[in-house]
Amino acid sequence: MNESYFSYKDLYIEDGRKVLEVNILPEKYCNFDCVFCPIGRSQHKTDVQRSFPGTDNSIVELENNINALNPDLIFINSKGEALLNDRIDDIIDLIKANGKAVRLFTNGYLLGRSEYMKIANRCDEVVGELKVLSEEDFQRLQRPIKGYTLAEYISNMAAFRRQYAGRFIFEITIIKGCSDGPGSIEKLKDIIREISPDKIVVAKINDKRFEKKFSITDERLEEISRALLDI
Ligand code: SF4
């Protein structure tokens, strides 16, 4: 029998809600291969769903954890792109059948495709993200599947947002030399207007391995956050 491969963070409280965060991939599967990825290099760079041995047991284990821990929200935040697990529909069904809210973290590129849009539409909250502001930086630093473009990335999230009835959270990670320079704030404001999220989160790279090269100071993060959250 195949073992469960889901993994969990300790239950935590966010805005008064108990959150259970779960990874639903056995190893990294992603349509990008970011140079600053905390998980490492993408051995499986794909935008096609896969099935993984052990999913039935993993789903049973998830239900047991929901019953034992009684969280208010299940946050699907995976080792890569969670939409690539071909049982994600069943996972969302299980969470909803247990009367819990579900939040999905995705890099956002696939949200414009109808099959993935339909899946994400079933979640109460969806988080999409953005890290760089030029096509060159997107290709060089996020190394997506061939043919992907930054323009399509942004328009996919905007298309998703236009028809999504849930809460869309837009996470912007400021990268030194890419999204912190003169003109970045205005560009980001235009993108925020296009996507029209319910909530904006502004962050910086916190992984020690990449801080020197890609992180900005707390003061600069604060300045940029204030300018963006003021929109
Ligand atoms: S999108 Fe996220 S998971 Fe995928 S390679 Fe980039 S940092 Fe890693």
Side-chain angles (χ1 to χ4, degrees):
M1 198 194 301
N2 290 301
E3 297 289 321
S4 161
Y5 58 84
F6 287 7
S7 57
Y8 300 83
K9 281 198 179 162
D10 288 342
L11 198 72
Y12 59 89
I13 306 287
E14 182 193 290
D15 299 331
R17 290 192 294 181
K18 278 193 280 178
V19 182
L20 178 62
E21 197 168 321
V22 57
N23 152 54
I24 62 162
L25 293 172
E27 53 189 312
K28 183 178 171 186
Y29 284 79
C30 196
N31 46 351
F32 294 178
D33 185 15
C34 301
V35 298
F36 32 64
C37 180
I39 309 158
R41 291 301 305 268
S42 293
Q43 305 302 332
H44 314 282
K45 188 148 78 172
T46 179
D47 53 11
V48 178
Q49 286 190 324
R50 302 283 173 102
S51 64
F52 304 107
T55 306
D56 283 332
N57 286 337
S58 303
I59 291 176
V60 170
E61 179 194 72
L62 174 60
E63 182 157 38
N64 290 341
N65 280 333
I66 292 173
N67 289 332
L69 300 168
N70 194 26
D72 302 299
L73 173 75
I74 315 298
F75 180 18
I76 301 174
N77 183 15
S78 290
K79 289 181 190 168
E81 179 50 80
L83 289 164
L84 297 175
N85 185 320
D86 73 346
R87 300 282 303 281
I88 189 163
D89 265 329
D90 294 336
I91 295 163
I92 295 169
D93 279 345
L94 170 86
I95 297 169
K96 303 300 268 179
N98 278 275
K100 307 298 182 190
V102 56
R103 175 191 294 160
L104 171 70
F105 190 95
T106 163
N107 63 36
Y109 203 99
L110 298 176
L111 291 175
R113 298 195 186 166
S114 62
E115 68 273 30
Y116 293 117
M117 192 181 265
K118 267 190 223 140
I119 296 169
N121 275 341
R122 300 179 53 226
C123 300
D124 302 272
E125 300 178 13
V126 172
V127 187
E129 59 169 359
L130 189 77
K131 289 191 166 86
V132 300
L133 294 173
S134 76
E135 190 62 52
E136 190 199 335
D137 287 338
F138 181 52
Q139 300 299 332
R140 184 173 60 93
L141 298 176
Q142 299 204 260
R143 301 184 295 201
I145 285 178
K146 202 165 182 292
Y148 278 23
T149 66
L150 181 66
E152 191 181 30
Y153 185 14
I154 295 166
S155 69
N156 281 350
M157 279 191 275
F160 173 74
R161 180 66 192 105
R162 279 196 294 277
Q163 55 81 63
Y164 177 53
R167 187 165 181 253
F168 189 72
I169 301 162
F170 188 37
E171 188 172 306
I172 302 164
T173 304
I174 306 298
I175 305 284
K176 182 160 82 179
C178 298
S179 41
D180 63 334
S184 294
I185 288 175
E186 284 316 307
K187 274 190 196 168
L188 283 167
K189 282 186 173 178
D190 286 344
I191 295 167
I192 291 167
R193 283 189 198 100
E194 188 180 344
I195 294 178
S196 189
D198 296 284
K199 180 179 173 182
I200 303 163
V201 177
V202 187
K204 62 176 193 160
I205 296 273
N206 280 319
D207 189 314
K208 288 264 171 285
R209 292 166 295 176
F210 308 115
E211 267 183 358
K212 195 161 176 242
K213 198 160 176 197
F214 296 114
S215 197
I216 57 170
T217 62
D218 288 338
E219 293 71 32
R220 185 68 183 130
L221 178 67
E222 182 60 34
E223 269 171 29
I224 296 173
S225 301
R226 253 187 281 119
L228 294 179
L229 298 177
D230 191 36
I231 195 167

